[in-house]
Amino acid sequence: KKEEKSLNKRNLPQGFYFEVWNEPNCNFLDAPQDQLHSVYYSLYNNTASALKSVNPRLRVGGPVTCQSAWLDEFLDWTKKNNVPVDFVSTHLYPTDPDVVDGEAVPNMMKALSTVRKHSATLPLFYTEYNDGLFGDPPRHDYPFASAFILKTLTELDGRLPLLSWWTFTDVFEEQGFPPEEFDKPTSTGWGLLSASGIPKPSYRAFELLHRSGDLRLSSTVQGSTSVGSLATYDKASEDLMVFVWNFFWPTKATPTSETVTVFLKGITKAHFKMASIDTSHSNAPQAWRNDGSPKYLSPAQVQAYIEASQVTWTNVECTEVTGGCTLPSVVVEPQGTVIYVSSEGNKQEL
């Protein structure tokens, strides 16, 4: 009762979001297979009714399924039975059975189309996704993950309101706690941070995206199917930021390095800083492997690997050419990423 009164009295202009259950279609709901829908619908109805009775601003949604399943059926059921739903949530991984060669974005857009058949405004949240449920090799501990993040979020920019990476840290409750800091032998290493809080390449990708600008600029790639790019401009810091990645899905093609030259149209000679995420840059897991993959780390080792994870910057010049300027050519290794930030009038610490 105290909790109900507290929630009821709160000023909740944005509402609180509540998902009902987790992946009822993937063995997380204790019900016979032929009764999964009815059992989940009963659970959802009771939960949604209880939440709304406490405070109508509390937001409730589902079906929180794996593999983008049940969306059509769930929305049909809520409409026919006048059950409240404020958002639709589901999960998808690029290794899921219906995803072709790791390209999850088309599946997400298909799911969005399904939601739009029922409502023009109901938001679709992907509350679990990552670079894939790989066990061996654990690609989430490699630059593969950081390149995947940049590619996927660039493709989804402005198309979905929420994507939640599974997961933030390797400290979570599933399948035990293997002692290895990286490359865990069971599927427990999907965090952006290791169990000791050491940032992985994936963490650095999100960190750099967070620093990127509030205005997206047009960018194109010529002569390569594996290279992608993102360019942004930040009004406050006056920084121009360019990301270039060389991403390969493991079963799709033989990874090769690419020589990349960035041309900036309409910009004359300018100063930039350049950084990389690849085998030898911003890569704590690789430093750990180079040290023989020690299982139990001392505080000094943890600090050393945190330092190995840091993004390091070097100065480069954008040389004036006809119509703009070019940055120095650089070889981008498979799954590698190169980042450029203008240093003209730079107002943020790099």
Side-chain angles (χ1 to χ4, degrees):
K1 291 297 182 181
K2 289 182 179 179
E3 288 79 1
E4 287 183 10
K5 290 179 181 178
S6 175
L7 286 171
N8 200 33
K9 290 180 179 179
R10 283 184 184 178
N11 180 21
L12 303 173
Q14 301 300 320
F16 285 2
Y17 290 83
F18 291 85
E19 288 185 305
V20 179
W21 211 247
N22 174 65
E23 298 189 349
N25 61 324
C26 286
N27 301 317
F28 286 99
L29 184 62
D30 187 12
Q33 195 67 29
D34 60 351
Q35 297 177 33
L36 279 177
H37 282 82
S38 61
V39 171
Y40 178 75
Y41 291 160
S42 176
L43 172 66
Y44 181 91
N45 185 33
N46 290 332
T47 306
S49 298
L51 287 167
K52 294 295 186 179
S53 71
V54 172
N55 191 318
R57 291 188 178 185
L58 299 176
R59 300 183 185 184
V60 61
V64 208
T65 44
C66 65
Q67 302 173 18
S68 302
W70 292 15
L71 304 189
D72 206 18
E73 303 96 311
F74 173 73
L75 291 172
D76 273 339
W77 172 78
T78 57
K79 182 177 181 180
K80 290 176 182 177
N81 294 277
N82 196 30
V83 178
V85 56
D86 300 303
F87 63 94
V88 178
S89 65
T90 189
H91 304 161
L92 189 71
Y93 292 89
T95 46
D96 284 345
D98 291 339
V99 178
V100 179
D101 291 330
E103 297 288 346
V105 173
N107 298 66
M108 291 179 171
M109 292 301 97
K110 183 179 178 181
L112 181 60
S113 296
T114 298
V115 175
R116 288 292 161 265
K117 286 194 310 179
H118 296 266
S119 169
T121 58
L122 201 62
L124 171 62
F125 297 162
Y126 270 92
T127 53
E128 274 192 35
Y129 85 107
N130 65 23
D131 59 310
L133 303 182
F134 295 103
D136 186 18
R139 300 183 188 277
H140 36 270
D141 286 354
Y142 286 78
F144 170 89
S146 47
F148 173 88
I149 288 166
L150 292 166
K151 175 181 182 295
T152 302
L153 295 190
T154 297
E155 292 175 355
L156 287 172
D157 179 31
R159 304 171 83 175
L160 291 174
L162 186 147
L163 289 148
S164 181
W165 183 269
W166 178 258
T167 181
F168 188 73
T169 170
D170 285 350
V171 180
F172 62 96
E173 75 281 7
E174 292 183 6
Q175 302 184 53
F177 293 90
E180 289 82 0
E181 194 68 26
F182 303 103
D183 300 351
K184 294 182 182 296
T186 58
S187 298
T188 59
W190 296 312
L192 301 173
L193 299 170
S194 75
S196 297
I198 302 168
K200 301 179 185 181
S202 53
Y203 180 96
R204 295 305 180 195
F206 277 116
E207 179 184 46
L208 290 164
L209 282 171
H210 181 68
R211 289 182 175 179
S212 65
D214 46 15
L215 177 65
R216 182 171 175 179
L217 307 177
S218 174
S219 64
T220 58
V221 175
Q222 297 178 350
S224 173
T225 58
S226 62
V227 173
S229 65
L230 170 67
T232 68
Y233 178 74
D234 187 79
K235 296 176 185 177
S237 67
E238 301 179 357
D239 279 341
L240 171 65
M241 201 164 185
V242 180
F243 298 82
V244 181
W245 57 87
N246 184 21
F247 179 77
F248 290 84
W249 188 254
T251 59
K252 191 174 181 180
T254 302
T256 57
S257 296
E258 292 278 1
T259 300
V260 173
T261 304
V262 174
F263 169 71
L264 301 175
K265 184 178 180 180
I267 296 178
T268 57
K269 182 179 179 180
H271 304 290
F272 277 78
K273 294 181 182 291
M274 183 187 80
S276 299
I277 303 175
D278 54 27
T279 302
S280 53
H281 299 91
S282 308
N283 194 336
Q286 189 57 50
W288 172 83
R289 295 181 197 108
N290 294 343
D291 289 341
S293 306
K295 282 189 176 181
Y296 301 100
L297 304 185
S298 67
Q301 286 175 309
V302 170
Q303 186 57 42
Y305 295 135
I306 290 174
E307 292 175 5
S309 80
Q310 298 292 337
V311 177
T312 56
W313 299 91
T314 57
N315 295 319
V316 294
E317 299 295 321
C318 195
T319 305
E320 186 173 1
V321 296
T322 303
C325 70
T326 58
L327 290 161
S329 297
V330 60
V331 176
V332 185
E333 66 181 50
Q335 320 300 7
T337 298
V338 176
I339 310 97
Y340 299 95
V341 181
S342 63
S343 56
E344 297 288 343
N346 185 27
K347 297 178 182 179
Q348 62 178 337
E349 188 71 23
L350 294 174

